[in-house]
Amino acid sequence: MRQLIAGNWKMNGLTESIVEIALMSRTLTTKPAHCDVLICPPATLISHAVQSGAPGVAIGAQDCHPEPSGAFTGDLSAEMLRDCGATAVIVGHSERRQYHGETDALVAAKASAAWRAGLTAIICVGETLLEREAGQAKIICKRQLTGSVPRGATTTNTIIAYEPIWAIGTGKTPTNEEISDMHAHIRICLGSRIRILYGGSVKPSNAREILSLPNVGGALVGGASLNASEFTTIVEFSQPSS
Ligand code: PGA
């Protein structure tokens, strides 16, 4: 299966930032990637990004509400995201779990909503530093997978992102052995070939190594996805289909 290099812009980007997506697309047109490429800008930019048309770069969202519509001020449904051209949505990112108190059950409901709307759900799991130091990382991730991945997950409707919380935005990454070990564990928990992305301080300097590890089906990139040149360098390090 092809790897996926996905960019999560988080709460960054104004209209002018669309140019970065255009630049990514231009680079990928001259040097086609052997992976899938997705950018998840803030919801305010999804329509604009889709309408500006950037061949080779799919556009996704960062969160959705479980319901298709209703009295939920400020929220966006998966159907709305699909309607403006998104093809995927990240659910259960640790920043949503931490700052919005999202539980595994809510994340599972959001993933089901994504499927209902025809979006691929990118479901995030990952342990804190304390949990890793206590030797609990695998137990925590297994528990999150059990609670957050609904029945019916397939290689086309679901992608898992393993993002150790202590590696997000810190410049720290687990060792290659730790990444391989956790991805193998997640593979066993899932019991299927669903892609498992690694996320947390992926950058041009470590992408080649990380993307060549077994069971790593791509990367979820935060900070380094805001810049077209850094992001396309990471894309170049993706591995051909296995
Ligand atoms: P980072 O973020 O690459 O900036 O560490 C990754 C993420 O939160 O998805």
Side-chain angles (χ1 to χ4, degrees), residues 6-8 10 90 93-95 124 161 163-165 167-172 198-203 220-225:
N8 171 13
K10 310 191 179 187
I90 299 169
H93 189 281
S94 62
E95 287 151 14
C124 302
E163 299 205 304
I165 295 170
I168 296 177
T170 58
K172 291 183 200 147
Y198 169 77
S201 294
V202 175
K203 38 189 187 270
L220 181 54
V221 184
S225 71

Side-chain angles (χ1 to χ4, degrees), residues 88-190:
V89 59
I90 299 169
V91 294
H93 189 281
S94 62
E95 287 151 14
R96 301 288 318 171
R97 291 178 186 262
Q98 187 181 347
Y99 303 135
H100 297 265
E102 295 195 3
T103 60
D104 287 335
L106 179 60
V107 175
K110 290 182 174 202
S112 296
W115 300 347
R116 184 189 63 220
L119 300 176
T120 299
I122 302 176
I123 306 175
C124 302
V125 298
E127 81 286 357
T128 63
L129 187 56
L130 232 65
E131 288 161 347
R132 175 154 288 268
E133 285 172 351
Q136 301 284 303
K138 284 188 182 168
I139 296 170
I140 294 294
C141 288
K142 184 172 186 176
R143 189 188 302 153
Q144 289 177 345
L145 288 168
T146 308
S148 315
V149 181
R151 243 172 230 276
T154 67
T155 51
T156 48
N157 68 15
T158 302
I159 292 166
I160 303 297
Y162 167 57
E163 299 205 304
I165 295 170
W166 51 275
I168 296 177
T170 58
K172 291 183 200 147
T173 52
T175 63
N176 291 344
E177 290 66 32
E178 286 168 334
I179 296 175
S180 301
D181 198 32
M182 183 59 90
H183 279 238
H185 175 66
I186 294 174
R187 169 74 58 235
I188 292 167
C189 295
L190 292 171

Side-chain angles (χ1 to χ4, degrees), residues 9 11-23 41-52 226:
W9 278 13
M11 198 175 72
N12 296 291
L14 300 172
T15 309
E16 65 207 24
S17 318
I18 294 290
V19 72
E20 295 300 325
I21 299 178
L23 285 170
T44 47
L45 292 182
I46 293 175
S47 249
H48 194 143
V50 170
Q51 277 160 23
S52 342
L226 294 167

Side-chain angles (χ1 to χ4, degrees), residues 16 34-35 48 68 76 82-83 93 189 224 236 240:
E16 65 207 24
H34 35 234
C35 64
H48 194 143
L76 297 171
R82 172 79 191 199
D83 184 48
H93 189 281
C189 295
E236 276 174 39

Side-chain angles (χ1 to χ4, degrees), residues 200-219:
S201 294
V202 175
K203 38 189 187 270
S205 58
N206 60 20
R208 187 199 296 269
E209 268 188 68
I210 293 173
L211 290 170
S212 57
L213 296 172
N215 288 310
V216 171

